[in-house]
């Protein structure tokens, strides 16, 4: 897209000369997504400092039918934030925490607030914002909500959607919708909030949000458990869920291969158990009563699992530092795959009871398709979300291996759909899965989505060709 100097000047007048970027070297970091699958282009990067400035930008863009792409921390993995000649609207300057309401257990934050900063602000008041992601030091609240991010806390606390009570949104015509409500019960018409959460910036730009907070746990135990199979992990999960109920705040599944490469490539990571096991689960149990209550639940869970033969060995973290180290092992597993060469990735979910069947069936199918591949399937056992990643064979050509991305995706996704699962559990659709979405969803669903898009954005300026084809 070419912009006239007059239009660039009008946009510059809105945000200030230092916040309207045309130098391509300065724009370049905003044009590539984290995995390098998509490389975009943009004539202009704008950094508004307020909702009013976002409104003015979008109103001017809409009047001239200029497309815009909202961008948060640029940590998305499906290309939803990558422009294709569009103006980039970065929310990074809009990072104020407007209010922490301790008695109401909510906080109001702007969309550019980094997730880790929101967590820290809640912690200052002895509260917890429980959304937790590997990218939490970089990702922003607006992007979390726009992609309905999940992470490791979904089992106990839900996705981003469940952690948001209200939104402030700039619509494609530039108007501002102030929906910053704090009500648990509000049945006054359609729930507009839920339209924008998970819409990936295609219906409007989230500029602020009301987030739910919960009490900080008094006791928290984290343990690694070694086991023989995903079926054993499912049995252990059911034991943990029965014994611990809502105190079960984490249950992550990892393969031995994932543990090995994380130890190999990530500084400070150590083998959690003295002997290797084919599979592991990382279990977190929290208590609002006491440290002893959490420890008692953790010990009871492990003993029952061990006595029934599902748990083969276990290690309980004995300090806050060790708890963090245990979690770091899990959260670094994606990064540890990069030095191993090409990795074909899948973010899928299946019903929890089908996780073992999915892992076995998918492993057989992709191994039959290509010999020598190394499967790193890990994720949130407690909600059925598995990051089914396939590392290239040792010494294979990376680009040749990655040329099989679409074929591998089809194999895995076909199995997921046969099990009534989802091809996108928490990363969104973006560009990566846009065409596949159109192929697998019922025509009436696509028709309804397209109708919503046309109603909100008749000129098609808002993050075009993401989620739905323009």
């Amino acid at each position: 897209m070419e912009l006239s100097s007059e239009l660039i000047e009008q946009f510059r007048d809105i945000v200030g000369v230092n916040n309207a970027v045309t130098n391509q070297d300065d724009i370049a970091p905003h044009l590539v997504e984290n995995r390098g699958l998509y490389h975009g282009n943009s004539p202009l990067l704008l950094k508004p400092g307020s909702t009013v400035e976002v409104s003015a930008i979008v109103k001017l863009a809409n009047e001239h039918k200029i497309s815009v792409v909202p961008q948060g921390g640029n940590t998305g993995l499906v290309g939803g934030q990558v422009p294709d000649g569009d103006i980039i609207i970065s929310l990074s300057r809009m990072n104020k925490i407007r209010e922490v309401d301790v008695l109401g257990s909510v906080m109001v934050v702007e969309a550019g607030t980094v997730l880790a900063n929101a967590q820290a602000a809640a912690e200052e008041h002895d509260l917890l914002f429980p959304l937790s992601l590997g990218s939490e030091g970089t990702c922003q609240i607006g992007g979390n909500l726009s992609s309905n991010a999940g992470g490791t806390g979904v089992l106990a606390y839900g996705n981003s959607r469940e952690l948001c009570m209200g939104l402030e949104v700039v619509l494609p015509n530039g108007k501002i919708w102030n929906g910053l409500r704090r009500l648990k019960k509000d049945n006054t018409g359609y729930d507009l909030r839920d339209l924008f959460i998970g819409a990936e910036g295609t219906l409007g730009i989230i500029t602020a949000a009301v987030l739910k907070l919960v009490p900080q746990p008094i006791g928290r135990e984290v343990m690694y458990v070694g086991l023989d199979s995903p079926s054993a992990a499912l049995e252990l999960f059911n034991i943990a869920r029965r014994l611990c109920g809502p105190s079960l705040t984490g249950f992550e599944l990892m393969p031995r291969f994932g543990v090995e490469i994380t130890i190999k490539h990530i500084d400070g990571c150590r083998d959690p158990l003295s002997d290797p096991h084919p599979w592991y689960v990382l279990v977190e149990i929290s208590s609002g009563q006491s440290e002893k209550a959490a420890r008692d639940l953790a010990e009871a869970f492990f003993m029952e699992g061990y006595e029934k033969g599902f748990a083969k060995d276990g290690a309980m973290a004995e300090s806050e530092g060790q708890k963090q180290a245990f979690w770091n092992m899990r959260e670094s597993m994606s990064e540890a795959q990069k030095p191993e060469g090409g990795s074909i990735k899948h973010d899928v979910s299946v019903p929890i009871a089908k996780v073992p069947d999915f892992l076995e069936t998918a492993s057989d199918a992709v191994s039959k398709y290509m010999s020598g591949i190394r499967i790193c399937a890990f994720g949130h056992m407690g909600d059925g979300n598995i990051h089914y990643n396939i590392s290239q064979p040792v010494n294979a050509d990376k680009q040749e291996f990655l040329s099989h991305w679409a074929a591998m995706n089809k194999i895995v996704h076909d199995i997921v759909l046969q099990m009534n699962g989802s091809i996108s559990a928490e990363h969104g659709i973006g560009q990566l899965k846009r065409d596949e979405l159109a192929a697998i969803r019922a025509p009436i669903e696509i028709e309804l989505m397209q109708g919503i898009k046309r109603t909100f954005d008749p000129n098609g300026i808002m993050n075009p060709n993401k989620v739905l084809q323009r």
Side-chain angles (χ1 to χ4, degrees):
M1 177 189 298
E2 290 190 15
L3 295 177
S4 67
S5 58
E6 290 82 6
L7 262 177
I8 291 176
E9 193 62 32
Q10 290 182 61
F11 283 117
R12 185 177 287 121
D13 288 343
I14 294 171
V15 298
V17 64
N18 294 326
N19 299 307
V21 182
T22 55
N23 182 285
Q24 287 299 305
D25 289 339
D26 294 330
I27 295 176
H30 297 264
L31 303 179
V32 183
E33 56 87 37
N34 190 48
R35 295 199 294 233
L37 292 179
Y38 296 98
H39 296 75
N41 63 92
S42 172
L44 181 63
L45 166 66
L46 299 173
K47 300 179 180 180
S50 69
T51 300
V52 171
E53 290 183 3
V54 176
S55 172
I57 292 168
V58 174
K59 181 179 180 182
L60 180 60
N62 192 52
E63 288 172 354
H64 292 272
K65 295 182 172 58
I66 298 168
S67 55
V68 299
V69 173
Q71 193 175 101
N74 196 18
T75 60
L77 297 175
V78 292
Q81 77 279 31
V82 178
D84 184 15
D86 321 290
I87 292 175
I88 302 170
I89 301 178
S90 169
L91 282 298
S92 58
R93 289 180 61 222
M94 295 181 58
N95 56 15
K96 297 183 183 66
I97 296 172
R98 296 181 183 176
E99 180 187 359
V100 179
D101 177 358
V102 176
L103 292 179
S105 295
V106 298
M107 66 192 306
V108 184
V109 305
E110 293 183 339
T113 303
V114 172
L115 173 56
N117 293 341
Q119 294 168 338
E123 190 172 355
E124 288 176 5
H125 298 272
D126 200 29
L127 292 167
L128 174 70
F129 180 56
L131 182 65
S132 181
L133 309 170
S135 60
E136 60 194 29
T138 307
C139 65
Q140 298 173 10
I141 294 297
N144 298 150
L145 292 169
S146 293
S147 60
N148 190 26
T152 56
V154 172
L155 171 62
Y157 305 108
N159 290 314
S160 295
R161 187 184 304 277
E162 284 73 47
L163 296 172
C164 176
M165 299 186 77
L167 293 175
E168 177 185 84
V169 180
V170 172
L171 302 175
N173 59 11
K175 292 183 178 180
I176 300 170
W177 172 56
N178 185 345
L180 294 173
R181 302 183 182 115
R182 310 181 185 194
L183 303 174
K184 290 188 176 181
K185 291 185 176 181
D186 182 5
N187 286 330
T188 52
Y190 302 131
D191 192 340
L192 299 177
R193 175 201 60 179
D194 274 354
L195 281 173
F196 297 104
I197 298 175
E200 301 184 45
T202 62
L203 302 179
I205 300 178
I206 295 172
T207 53
V210 179
L211 305 178
K212 295 179 185 177
L213 306 177
V214 298
Q216 283 279 357
I218 297 173
R220 185 172 71 99
E221 297 295 340
V222 181
M223 70 173 72
Y224 260 88
V225 180
L227 52 148
D228 289 337
S229 68
S231 294
L234 181 60
E235 296 286 355
L236 283 173
F237 173 68
N238 286 324
I239 292 171
R241 185 164 50 177
R242 172 171 51 80
L243 289 178
C244 305
S247 293
L248 180 63
T249 50
F251 201 97
E252 300 289 304
L253 177 69
M254 292 158 287
R256 179 63 193 174
F257 172 65
V259 169
E260 287 176 347
I261 62 173
T262 304
I263 295 167
K264 178 180 178 182
H265 297 299
I266 305 298
D267 290 343
C269 287
R270 301 173 57 187
D271 208 325
L273 301 175
S274 56
D275 295 318
H277 297 270
W279 291 87
Y280 300 82
V281 289
L282 173 64
V283 184
E284 180 180 275
I285 295 169
S286 304
S287 171
Q289 298 177 351
S290 65
E291 294 180 1
K292 183 179 184 300
R295 175 59 67 111
D296 288 348
L297 282 174
E299 290 177 348
F301 153 73
F302 179 76
M303 287 307 300
E304 181 171 338
Y306 185 78
E307 289 170 357
K308 290 184 175 179
F310 303 124
K312 299 301 181 182
D313 193 7
M316 191 98 70
E318 296 298 337
S319 67
E320 283 301 318
Q322 196 171 30
K323 290 173 187 177
Q324 183 55 48
F326 278 12
W327 270 110
N328 187 50
M329 173 81 76
R330 160 62 183 86
E331 291 169 348
S332 299
M333 204 160 283
S334 292
E335 188 68 22
Q337 292 168 74
K338 290 181 180 179
E340 293 294 318
S343 179
I344 296 176
K345 300 179 183 293
H346 308 81
D347 165 46
V348 299
S349 64
V350 295
I352 295 170
K354 291 185 178 293
V355 167
D357 288 344
F358 163 71
L359 291 171
E360 181 179 357
T361 304
S363 176
D364 290 345
V366 296
S367 297
K368 182 178 180 180
Y369 175 81
M370 182 182 295
S371 62
I373 57 171
R374 297 167 297 161
I375 298 169
C376 188
F378 63 95
H380 320 303
M381 180 81 186
D383 57 40
N385 176 195
I386 300 297
H387 301 292
Y388 194 85
N389 301 340
I390 304 168
S391 289
Q392 68 179 55
V394 176
N395 298 325
D397 179 80
K398 179 178 178 179
Q399 293 308 315
E400 197 282 329
F401 172 74
L402 292 178
S403 71
H404 295 270
W405 190 292
M408 289 278 199
N409 278 182
K410 185 174 187 333
I411 291 170
V412 174
H413 289 169
D414 282 352
I415 294 167
V416 168
L417 295 173
Q418 289 166 11
M419 295 185 176
N420 295 316
S422 170
I423 65 168
S424 177
E426 62 179 2
H427 291 166
I429 298 298
Q431 301 178 60
L432 182 65
K433 300 178 182 180
R434 180 194 61 208
D435 296 340
E436 191 171 3
L437 177 71
I440 66 171
R441 282 291 191 97
I444 185 62
E445 292 181 271
I446 299 298
E447 182 182 330
L448 288 169
M449 290 188 217
Q450 290 171 335
I452 292 169
K453 171 69 171 173
R454 286 192 299 268
T455 298
F456 277 79
D457 185 19
N459 289 328
I461 69 158
M462 196 61 67
N463 208 7
N465 289 319
K466 313 295 171 51
V467 183
L468 298 171
Q469 187 76 40
R470 181 170 6 207

